[in-house]
Amino acid sequence: MSDQYRFLLSEADLPKFWYNIAADLPTPLPPPLHPVTKEPVTPDFLEAIFPREVIMQEVSTERYIEIPEPVREVYRLWRPTPLIRARRLEQALDTPAHIYFKYEGVSPSGSHKPNTAVAQAFYNKAAGVHALTTETGAGQWGSALALAGNFFDIDVEVYMVKVSYQQKPYRRILMETYGAQVFASPTDRTEVGRRILAEDPDSPGSLGIAISEAVEAALTSNGKKKYSLGSVLNHVLLHQTVIGQEAIKQMEMAGEEPDILIGCIGGGSNFGGFTFPFIKEKLQGKKDYRVIAVEPTAAPTLTKGLYAYDYGDTGKITPIVKMHTLGHDFVPAPIHAGGLRYHGMAPTVCALYDQGVIEAVAVHQRAVFEAAVLFARTQGIIPAPETAHAVKVAIDEALKAKEAGEKKVIVLNFSGHGHFDLSAYQAYLSGELQDYAYPEKEIQKSLQKLPEVNL
Ligand SMILES: *Cc1c(COP(=O)(O)O)cnc(C)c1O
């Protein structure tokens, strides 16, 4: 054990392959279904939305997929990212636990999201696509795709959830600075958006609605535009596995074996990207870790959702996938962690939860910010509100270790910084931040509208 704080890899250590957990899942993933016919989707349906290479990755069961050199070249602007021991936080908690965080906030847009945005922009450019459409919640994904689109010379059109558009003007300006166009969703630019505005002109929007709008914009573009998703799908989690692969090497440098791995979950991409390379060892029986996914009580997908086939979007135009879901028209309360306001979850994460390989916990907004402020005051870094969910549970586990008098090694994925989320911190510091009760009734109601499938 050294007394080191930061565990840094060199550029030569940047992973050359992404790790595909589909190769190691105990049972194969249930197939995605066509939204209308409800038959397993065919590649040509997906090709209206995604380039072929991305679809191949989506359905691949190859264990390792090579990272193209132009993608690695962009990764080198900020990767490998540091792994940092949170010694000052440990001291403040007076815990025997060791807390490490993998810091993804060093990317140009401030989160893990460029890891997949860069890959997707590359494959779309290679396929001759002119523009990408997408949704964004807090603006992290939109900024990442705007950045990547700029590097690979592709136009980017972003449907931003209205509540975040209003709360986070600086994220919009960042996207526009990178050259993207940004719209507050629901918009009147799409049929789905117009329908929702007619029912509820004050709709705060949701990721589900914004996804419908972005997909519709691609589908109605005569092939000029394709859609790009920042989470949930297999290929997105695949691209994020550079995080976990680096973290494994860095924990070796630190000379410690993790006991507990923690990540926040919105659609599951930073959690999956960080934990899957570790879970590979667990599935192969070589290692044993507790792996904890942290979600907000306002969108408690794993802890309260149903494991069932559902649409990925509110407008019912995306494929139906088997996942834990709160129902496709569930609209989460407007918590500040916009990136966690999603009704569904990555099918791979859900399969692992269903099989008991990972655990999940839901936490309230105020407790999350309390943890975030403690982190900021000890480690200096202001967590994104999403990331703060993981910080909260890492602190809880460190306090449990203290009570039990055990030295646990806790590693969390620090998915992004919160420099664009200071209005949320202001609300917390001024005592105005509210908690939302578990939306039990709303969940029961929206779960009644799951599609019927014959499988
Ligand atoms: C988008 C985002 C998340 C949630 O998305 P996942 O796909 O679940 O990772 C978490 N943290 C940050 C900083 C984000 O930007």
Side-chain angles (χ1 to χ4, degrees):
M1 258 310 304
S2 67
D3 56 2
Q4 225 171 307
Y5 280 69
R6 302 199 305 149
F7 300 90
L8 306 176
L9 298 170
S10 73
E11 283 181 35
D13 294 313
L14 184 68
K16 294 193 169 64
F17 294 85
W18 291 303
Y19 164 63
N20 183 7
I21 199 161
D24 291 310
L25 286 178
T27 53
L29 287 175
L33 308 178
H34 189 284
V36 178
T37 66
K38 296 176 184 164
E39 296 293 323
V41 287
T42 52
D44 54 311
F45 172 76
L46 292 176
E47 267 184 66
I49 317 178
F50 298 117
R52 180 181 298 258
E53 198 59 36
V54 163
I55 296 166
M56 300 298 284
Q57 293 183 352
E58 186 60 23
V59 299
S60 170
T61 52
E62 293 274 310
R63 185 167 287 113
Y64 292 103
I65 293 176
E66 194 168 358
I67 306 174
E69 205 41 52
V71 172
R72 295 181 81 241
E73 195 264 322
V74 177
Y75 279 174
R76 286 207 286 273
L77 291 176
W78 72 93
R79 301 208 74 85
T81 62
L83 178 85
I84 303 172
R85 171 118 178 248
R87 287 181 186 267
R88 295 177 60 89
L89 176 63
E90 291 168 15
Q91 281 157 16
L93 298 172
D94 190 25
T95 175
H98 291 183
I99 305 171
Y100 294 85
F101 62 101
K102 176 69 169 157
Y103 188 36
E104 288 296 304
V106 296
S107 84
S109 65
S111 79
H112 65 290
K113 295 219 168 69
N115 296 332
T116 185
V118 169
Q120 293 191 46
F122 167 78
Y123 289 121
N124 275 283
K125 181 67 180 184
V129 174
H130 295 292
L132 288 171
T133 68
T134 198
E135 75 293 333
T136 196
Q140 290 272 21
W141 169 240
S143 330
L145 196 68
L147 171 83
N150 174 56
F151 285 149
F152 288 100
D153 195 21
I154 298 184
D155 291 343
V156 174
E157 193 173 289
V158 183
Y159 292 82
M160 184 172 190
V161 177
K162 194 181 277 168
V163 58
S164 298
Y165 186 95
Q166 290 161 346
Q167 283 173 353
K168 294 165 201 240
Y170 296 117
R171 277 272 165 207
R172 171 174 60 75
I173 298 165
L174 180 63
M175 289 184 261
E176 289 170 350
T177 303
Y178 288 141
Q181 269 189 300
V182 187
F183 310 101
S185 165
T187 72
D188 59 6
R189 294 170 54 87
T190 66
E191 213 171 286
V192 173
R194 286 189 292 272
R195 196 167 70 223
I196 286 160
L197 285 175
E199 281 167 20
D200 178 10
D202 296 324
S203 167
S206 70
L207 279 175
I209 295 170
I211 292 172
S212 298
E213 291 207 275
V215 171
E216 184 183 321
L219 284 174
T220 55
S221 72
N222 292 323
K224 288 199 199 73
K225 303 176 186 175
K226 299 255 185 216
Y227 167 70
S228 178
L229 187 63
S231 188
V232 181
L233 296 179
N234 301 339
H235 67 270
V236 178
L237 275 67
L238 172 82
H239 299 154
Q240 293 294 353
T241 57
V242 287
I243 304 173
Q245 293 183 68
E246 289 176 5
I248 286 176
K249 282 192 188 169
Q250 288 163 307
M251 285 308 293
E252 280 166 12
M253 289 170 79
E256 296 215 88
E257 195 63 74
D259 294 303
I260 306 175
L261 301 163
I262 300 172
C264 65
I265 45 166
S269 77
N270 88 84
F271 173 82
F274 169 57
T275 63
F276 286 0
F278 287 97
I279 289 176
K280 167 175 171 273
E281 308 284 301
K282 179 167 171 165
L283 290 174
Q284 294 175 345
K286 293 182 192 154
K287 297 280 170 66
D288 195 17
Y289 309 109
R290 276 184 68 204
V291 185
I292 310 174
V294 189
E295 57 190 15
T297 48
T301 315
L302 288 184
T303 54
K304 299 280 176 177
L306 207 61
Y307 189 39
Y309 268 102
D310 196 10
Y311 301 96
D313 67 320
T314 308
K316 304 196 277 195
I317 55 182
T318 60
I320 307 173
V321 296
K322 185 149 184 200
M323 60 183 174
H324 288 80
T325 179
L326 302 168
H328 54 270
D329 60 6
F330 178 80
V331 179
I335 53 169
H336 286 274
L340 307 187
R341 295 179 70 241
Y342 183 59
H343 69 274
M345 187 55 57
T348 42
V349 170
C350 295
L352 292 167
Y353 183 63
D354 188 56
Q355 290 156 12
V357 179
I358 64 169
E359 307 165 32
V361 6
V363 288
H364 281 295
Q365 172 157 259
R366 270 203 304 233
V368 161
F369 274 87
E370 191 188 340
V373 168
L374 176 61
F375 193 92
R377 288 180 184 174
T378 50
Q379 294 297 132
I381 299 171
I382 297 189
E386 293 85 358
T387 310
H389 285 69
V391 172
K392 158 71 181 150
V393 171
I395 290 174
D396 288 350
E397 290 296 330
L399 291 175
K400 277 188 215 162
K402 175 181 175 178
E403 210 159 288
E406 289 172 348
K407 191 214 113 180
K408 293 281 182 197
V409 177
I410 300 168
V411 190
L412 72 121
N413 192 41
F414 199 99
S415 53
H417 68 64
H419 295 175
F420 290 93
D421 303 281
L422 294 179
S423 61
Y425 280 85
Q426 183 183 33
Y428 172 75
L429 294 172
S430 65
E432 283 159 24
L433 198 69
Q434 49 168 315
D435 278 340
Y436 297 92
Y438 256 116
E440 307 267 9
K441 272 198 208 124
E442 292 82 353
I443 295 171
Q444 289 318 318
K445 204 172 134 208
S446 60
L447 283 180
Q448 280 162 15
K449 295 190 205 154
L450 295 185
E452 279 175 36
V453 300
N454 309 316
L455 272 180

